[in-house]
Amino acid sequence: MKNYIENIKSLVGQVGGANVHEQIIDDQEIIAFQITSNGKPLNVALFHRGYEEQNQLMLQLFASFAPIYDEPGADFYQVLERFNLNSIIGHIFFSHEEEIHRISYKSNCVLDIKDPAHTVNIKIFLETSILMMGEFDQQLSLIWHMWR
């Protein structure tokens, strides 16, 4: 079942991903790559796990946007909530490590690996997630400039 990894890496390249490579973070296998979002590089992690018994493949795409924010107030959470209501796939949320606050994006997909259309479905998942990340990134850039 692990042969899906090379297929996904190829699909990532087809949808504009660059510097595609495999990594392990906290014992979790990922395919890391970079896209260009609104003229800026954005690092993306695609977590993946195959479940052979169920013939399923789980994918989770994750990225954090620049800039770094101060601790958010309730009004900013309302802005994120409104953005999420308009999302066709995935969602944005505040993530923080120590005193660093960022807005991150996450989308999930579970596929039947035996389905003949699974390759097309992976590509659709990647394309729509990348488009949604770009849309969020653009909206956040506008909001960030107004909030400063």
Side-chain angles (χ1 to χ4, degrees), residues 12 17-20 31-35 42-44 46 61 126 130:
V12 166
N19 303 320
V20 182
I31 297 171
F33 59 99
Q34 193 173 74
I35 61 168
L42 181 63
N43 294 321
V44 179
L46 181 62
L61 194 130
L126 292 170
I130 289 169

Side-chain angles (χ1 to χ4, degrees), residues 81-97:
E81 185 177 325
R82 173 157 286 179
F83 288 168
N84 283 328
L85 286 173
N86 295 320
S87 176
I88 59 169
I89 187 170
H91 65 281
I92 53 176
F93 57 97
F94 269 105
S95 58
H96 60 69
E97 223 174 277

Side-chain angles (χ1 to χ4, degrees), residues 72-144:
D75 52 347
F76 207 91
Y77 280 103
Q78 290 173 345
V79 170
L80 294 187
E81 185 177 325
R82 173 157 286 179
F83 288 168
N84 283 328
L85 286 173
N86 295 320
S87 176
I88 59 169
I89 187 170
H91 65 281
I92 53 176
F93 57 97
F94 269 105
S95 58
H96 60 69
E97 223 174 277
E98 297 173 14
E99 297 300 314
I100 298 173
H101 295 268
R102 294 184 186 273
I103 295 177
S104 298
Y105 172 87
K106 181 172 78 167
S107 61
N108 299 304
C109 182
V110 178
L111 300 162
D112 179 351
I113 202 72
K114 298 281 186 187
D115 181 347
H118 79 271
T119 298
V120 171
N121 292 333
I122 292 169
K123 188 173 182 181
I124 290 169
F125 167 70
L126 292 170
E127 287 173 334
T128 54
S129 292
I130 289 169
L131 286 171
M132 204 69 238
M133 280 191 296
E135 181 65 26
F136 280 137
D137 190 24
Q138 185 175 30
Q139 291 174 359
L140 290 168
S141 292
L142 292 172
I143 293 293
W144 188 77

Side-chain angles (χ1 to χ4, degrees), residues 9 59-60 63 73-74 77 95 110 145:
K9 287 169 51 179
L59 302 173
Q60 182 180 80
Y77 280 103
S95 58
V110 178
H145 290 295

